[in-house]
Amino acid sequence: MTDYLALAREVGTIARAAGAAILAIYESDDFGVERKADDSPLTRADQAANAVIVAGLEALDFQAPIISEENAEVPYEQRRQYRRFWLVDPLDGTKEFIKRNGDFTVNIALIEGSRPLLGVVYTPVTDELVYGVVGQGAFLAGETETPLRVATFIKADPGLKVVASRSHLNEATQAFMDKLNTPEIVSRGSSLKIIELAKGNAHLYPRLAPTMEWDTGAAQAVLEAAGGSLIDHETGQPLRYNKEVLRNPHFVAAANQLS
């Protein structure tokens, strides 16, 4: 039987190595910025981190296929057969990376069935590593592992801390916040928006704008392991993975089991 917490620690080592590759480029003068077909940015750091992660995962005793933002797209007819797979965003928050504000992460998730089971999120600039296994807990790595637990709430509470993207505070998000009682905005980038909830530093994160599965898989696993939830805004069901189109629906992450 697989020891998933031990596996998460191994994956954490891989994420740290990817972070070192990212920082080597972050501290240089040449990010090598290109544009993908959807006009989103791609840097040498994305590519370097991806190479480290793929090599690291392929070297593990535990083997599963890899779906990464930076790998060639796997046809749905092939990946629909996957019982479990690694879901990777080697550099989540490329725009934050280019702005040099530090709010970017390495995201590695293990998806089983259509749900995240294990997640590792590493922040290279602060050397902060969090990981979680659903049903077994979430932790901040260090000399001693610190358990993470969400801060529970009810929606009527005043002063709820709502995480908002630095670049996606749209009308739908504002309308969501207008229904709350004097909410306080917490501004973070990348998957750190979800991790703020897992760490007990915020209560809600409405993402009523496009994201992809690799943007959320690792952080969703950590959040659920810490007692929170991440649900489809329309259906109220937990986000599902390995869909034919890898784009997420609009969602709400919460430090409670929302339904």
Side-chain angles (χ1 to χ4, degrees):
M1 181 178 293
T2 302
D3 182 340
Y4 286 108
L5 283 175
L7 179 61
R9 296 183 191 105
E10 288 188 88
V11 175
T13 299
I14 296 170
R16 286 186 188 278
I22 290 170
L23 286 180
I25 296 168
Y26 188 65
E27 294 164 357
S28 75
D29 294 325
D30 179 17
F31 290 173
V33 181
E34 303 172 11
R35 289 284 166 180
K36 300 182 190 178
D38 64 358
D39 202 38
S40 61
L42 172 70
T43 71
R44 290 194 300 122
D46 295 80
Q47 298 164 323
N50 190 66
V52 170
I53 293 167
V54 169
L57 293 177
E58 289 180 342
L60 292 173
D61 290 336
F62 180 97
Q63 286 295 295
I66 301 169
I67 296 176
S68 171
E69 179 179 12
E70 308 309 340
N71 285 0
E73 185 174 342
V74 180
Y76 181 62
E77 289 305 311
Q78 177 180 338
R79 59 182 170 79
R80 70 186 299 186
Q81 308 299 324
Y82 294 170
R83 183 174 65 85
R84 64 189 184 193
F85 63 93
W86 295 109
L87 181 63
V88 175
D89 191 343
L91 175 49
D92 181 30
T94 300
K95 292 179 181 178
E96 315 297 338
F97 175 89
I98 293 169
K99 293 175 185 175
R100 293 184 184 269
N101 67 22
D103 265 12
F104 53 86
T105 59
V106 176
N107 300 343
I108 306 175
L110 179 66
I111 309 298
E112 192 157 275
S114 61
R115 297 288 307 280
L117 172 65
L118 176 158
V120 172
V121 177
Y122 179 61
T123 311
V125 167
T126 59
D127 189 31
E128 181 177 275
L129 177 72
V130 298
Y131 64 90
V133 175
V134 176
Q136 297 186 44
F139 303 89
L140 171 64
E143 290 186 14
T144 58
E145 295 176 332
T146 304
L148 301 180
R149 196 68 191 168
V150 295
T152 58
F153 70 98
I154 60 172
K155 272 194 170 182
D157 288 343
L160 291 179
K161 293 183 178 180
V162 181
V163 185
S165 171
R166 291 179 172 176
S167 52
H168 295 94
L169 190 59
N170 56 19
E171 289 184 10
T173 305
Q174 188 61 58
F176 179 95
M177 295 181 63
D178 287 345
K179 297 176 183 177
L180 302 175
N181 185 355
T182 60
E184 174 186 341
I185 293 179
V186 177
S187 183
R188 295 305 304 265
S190 70
S191 62
L192 294 173
K193 295 186 287 291
I194 299 172
I195 298 303
E196 284 297 289
L197 275 67
K199 292 166 70 176
N201 295 336
H203 302 96
L204 286 163
Y205 166 40
R207 180 56 186 242
L208 309 180
T211 57
M212 301 298 288
E213 291 188 7
W214 45 71
D215 295 321
T216 57
Q220 180 175 350
V222 174
L223 177 60
E224 291 183 352
S229 61
L230 197 153
I231 61 169
D232 183 321
H233 185 53
E234 293 297 325
T235 68
Q237 298 300 309
L239 235 54
R240 298 281 173 169
Y241 289 78
N242 202 20
K243 304 182 298 298
E244 183 170 3
V245 176
L246 296 172
R247 186 178 302 109
N248 289 325
H250 293 178
F251 65 82
V252 177
N256 266 354
Q257 297 299 318
L258 291 183
S259 60

